[in-house]
DNA sequence: TTGATTGCAAAGCCTTTGCAGTTCT
DNA sequence: AGAACTGCAAAGGCTTTGCAATCAA
C-alpha cells in the first residue's frame, strides 16, 4: 500500500511536500522534525517547518512513521516500514544503540499476560549507562 | 542521609523552597514542575517557577528525585526514595499504571549480559495500549 | 470548482538565563 | 564580606495555530 493510496482513502491529497517528508524520514533513519526539514530543503525550496510538523503528524496517524524520545529535546521519527527496534540511550556519553525487539520479547509477553498491556516495542527507549560509561 | 546534610556537603544551602519542593514531589508521588509549584504555593507564597526548575535540577543531581516522560509535555518527577517502578502508559486512554521492577528484570539482566548496558529501571516507561483499549 | 494544503507570522507551551536584591555563614 | 539563593522579567527552544493564497482532484 503506497502513500497516495493511503492518503486518498482518507480524503487527503498527495503533495510533493508529503512525499519528501516521508522520504526524508525513511532515508535518514532517525530524524527530528528539524533534520527532516533540512533534508527536504535540499531538494525543494520554500518548504516550511509547520508543514513538516503537520505532515509528520499525519504520517504517524497513517502509521507510516513512528516517533520516540531519544533525548530531552525534539522527538525522532523513523519510518514504520523500518525493522522494529528498541533504543538504548546512554545518559552519560549520549550514545544511542539499537537492539532487536527479541531483547524485550519476554517483557512484552509478560506485560501482555499479567497486565493485558500491549506494549509498543518500536516506541520503547531504555535509558541507562552503556558499557564504557558504567565501568 | 537527609536533605540538609546532602546540600551542605556540596556547599549548597538548605532553604524553605528546597524543602518544600522535595516535599511536594514526595507527597504528590508524580509531579510536573508546574504541579510541584502549585503544591508549594499552597504552603508558601511568592515562590517562583524558576526556583522550582532550579531546585528539581539540583535535587536530581543529588539523587533525591528522578524524572521520566509520561506524556508529550512536561516531565514528571518522583522522589528517589519511593520504591522503584516502571510506568505503563496507555496511549489510547492515557491511563498510567505502575508495575514492579521485577517485571523488567529479565530485560535488564539481558541488556547487561549482552550489551553491558546498565538500564535505569526507574526511568523506564513503556508505551502501548492497556487491556481495555487493546481489545 | 471546491475543499485540502501550504507558507507565513504570530502565539503558545515549557524551560532557561541574566541580573539585582536578599539571605546565610 | 563573600558566596549562595531567590524573584522577576526577558529570552530561548520546540511546536501549534489562524489566515489568506494556492493547489490537487
Amino acid at each position: 500500500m503506497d502513500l497516495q493510496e493511503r492518503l486518498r482513502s482518507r480524503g487527503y491529497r498527495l503533495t510533493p511536500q508529503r512525499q519528501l517528508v516521508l522520504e526524508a524520514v525513511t532515508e535518514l533513519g532517525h530524524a527530528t522534525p528539524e533534520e527532516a526539514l533540512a533534508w527536504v530543503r535540499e531538494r525543494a525550496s520554500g518548504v516550511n517547518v509547520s508543514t513538516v510538523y503537520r505532515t509528520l503528524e499525519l504520517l504517524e496517524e497513517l502509521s507510516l512513521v513512528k516517533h520516540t524520545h531519544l533525548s530531552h529535546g525534539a522527538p525522532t521519527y523513523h519510518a514504520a516500514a523500518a525493522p522494529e527496534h528498541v533504543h538504548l540511550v546512554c545518559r552519560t556519553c549520549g550514545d544511542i544503540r539499537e537492539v532487536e525487539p527479541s531483547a524485550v520479547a519476554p517483557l512484552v509477553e509478560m506485560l501482555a499476560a499479567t497486565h493485558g498491556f500491549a506494549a509498543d516495542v518500536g516506541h520503547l527507549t531504555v535509558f541507562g549507562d552503556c558499557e564504557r560509561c558504567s565501568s
Side-chain angles (χ1 to χ4, degrees), chain A:
Chain A
M1 174 154 46
D2 72 338
L3 181 53
Q4 168 148 19
E5 204 173 321
R6 291 220 197 193
L7 288 167
R8 300 294 300 278
S9 69
R10 298 236 205 161
Y12 298 127
R13 296 177 184 169
L14 180 62
T15 66
Q17 289 91 333
R18 287 177 178 169
Q19 291 186 97
L20 283 166
V21 171
L22 177 54
E23 212 180 321
V25 170
T26 305
E27 283 300 313
L28 291 170
H30 290 109
T32 61
E34 214 56 56
E35 289 164 348
L37 176 62
W39 192 97
V40 168
R41 281 191 171 156
E42 285 169 13
R43 276 96 187 158
S45 57
V47 179
N48 195 272
V49 213
S50 55
T51 300
V52 172
Y53 277 98
R54 285 189 280 232
T55 301
L56 287 172
E57 188 184 349
L58 178 62
L59 292 177
E60 188 149 33
E61 191 186 316
L62 298 177
S63 301
L64 289 168
V65 305
K66 299 183 141 224
H67 81 273
T68 7
H69 295 275
L70 300 184
S71 59
H72 272 191
T76 55
Y77 287 82
H78 58 274
E84 265 206 336
H85 54 262
V86 173
H87 292 102
L88 302 186
V89 178
C90 176
R91 276 197 305 219
T92 302
C93 70
D95 182 53
I96 296 171
R97 187 173 310 181
E98 298 178 3
V99 304
E100 295 154 34
S102 62
V104 296
L107 168 62
V108 172
E109 278 159 29
M110 120 62 123
L111 290 179
T114 65
H115 297 83
F117 191 87
D120 175 3
V121 175
H123 194 112
L124 188 61
T125 300
V126 183
F127 294 89
D129 284 299
C130 74
E131 182 140 38
R132 253 172 313 166
C133 295
S134 62
S135 49

